[in-house]
Amino acid sequence: MAPGKNKYRVLVVGANDKICAFISEVLPRNDYEPLIRADSVGAARRLAMNSTIDLAILNAPLREEFGTQLALDLAEDNVGVLLLVQADVYEQICYKVEDEGVLTMQKPVTRQGFYSAMKLLTAMRGKLLRLEKKNQTLQNKMMDIRTVNRAKWLLIEHYHMTESDAHYYIEKQAMNDRLSRREVAENIIKTYEEP
């Protein structure tokens, strides 16, 4: 595995021993952690809620449901999903799930076809992880800006400062106290907004 490369946790749902052995043989252990197996939809949902799942392979039909709803629910949580279905329902299932990012594959699968599908799914998941991280960074920056602006308005209200003076005050306090601007702003907010 290349340095800095992600290692993906794979959930396999509804697969018998033969399919699990096939998946274990095809997926390189360097890139994929040992498979987590769930025999039922309920068990899969519990595993997905209680641990981080990166990729899911659903061998449809599952016992409690076909597997389409589980696939859609997992995809909504940004899990990369590969849904294995019989050829006679392939087009119908693709139509239902492809717009949500679920990859569908006809059974029986070949080693090369399965490996290629998993590499596509892995690439999609890697892209989603980077977008999630970027989104979180932007959310934090927006919260920083909102917090600093709120503190500035409190300084303007209580000390009759100009906006640039309030901004300078927060910057200076941050440097002097070796805190972030957000931490200084939060302290100002606590001082003037708490009863």
Side-chain angles (χ1 to χ4, degrees):
M1 185 167 77
K5 187 158 170 49
N6 292 329
K7 191 167 188 172
Y8 296 93
R9 292 178 51 99
V10 180
L11 172 65
V12 180
V13 185
N16 58 35
D17 292 337
K18 183 179 171 185
I19 293 173
C20 278
F22 169 79
I23 292 169
S24 293
E25 283 176 24
V26 174
L27 296 180
R29 293 176 194 247
N30 295 352
D31 297 332
Y32 305 93
E33 290 194 335
L35 301 179
I36 303 165
R37 191 169 167 186
D39 292 331
S40 68
V41 172
R45 289 185 190 282
R46 282 188 297 280
L47 283 167
M49 277 186 358
N50 296 326
S51 61
T52 302
I53 302 296
D54 297 303
L55 306 172
I57 303 165
L58 281 58
N59 186 30
L62 303 174
R63 274 189 240 151
E64 300 95 334
E65 65 175 69
F66 184 80
T68 309
Q69 190 57 52
L70 178 61
L72 292 170
D73 292 345
L74 290 170
E76 189 175 316
D77 291 336
N78 291 331
V79 173
V81 181
L82 176 61
L83 185 58
L84 304 175
V85 299
Q86 295 296 335
D88 60 335
V89 294
Y90 175 76
E91 288 297 326
Q92 175 188 357
I93 299 302
C94 273
Y95 181 79
K96 286 182 181 178
V97 300
E98 67 188 358
D99 286 345
E100 301 305 318
V102 175
L103 196 59
T104 310
M105 189 172 192
Q106 290 183 34
K107 293 190 281 188
V109 297
T110 64
R111 288 177 70 86
Q112 187 57 45
F114 179 77
Y115 182 74
S116 295
M118 287 303 293
K119 291 310 263 182
L120 284 170
L121 202 57
T122 302
M124 265 182 9
R125 176 64 179 161
K127 181 76 172 179
L128 279 174
L129 287 172
R130 286 189 302 282
L131 288 173
E132 284 175 358
K133 188 175 181 180
K134 193 175 195 178
N135 184 29
Q136 188 61 48
T137 300
L138 290 172
Q139 294 280 344
N140 288 339
K141 284 182 182 180
M142 285 173 50
M143 185 54 85
D144 289 350
I145 291 168
R146 283 188 195 116
T147 305
V148 169
N149 282 340
R150 202 158 115 213
K152 283 195 286 188
W153 289 111
L154 286 168
L155 290 172
I156 290 168
E157 180 183 331
H158 289 278
Y159 290 106
H160 308 292
M161 293 182 178
T162 64
E163 186 175 356
S164 60
D165 289 343
H167 183 80
Y168 177 77
Y169 176 83
I170 292 170
E171 291 278 333
K172 184 126 175 75
Q173 284 298 118
M175 282 192 313
N176 290 345
D177 297 342
R178 293 186 178 161
L179 298 171
S180 69
R181 292 179 335 140
R182 183 174 177 175
E183 290 171 314
V184 170
E186 286 170 344
N187 290 337
I188 292 167
I189 292 167
K190 283 178 191 171
T191 302
Y192 293 106
E193 285 194 345
E194 289 186 357

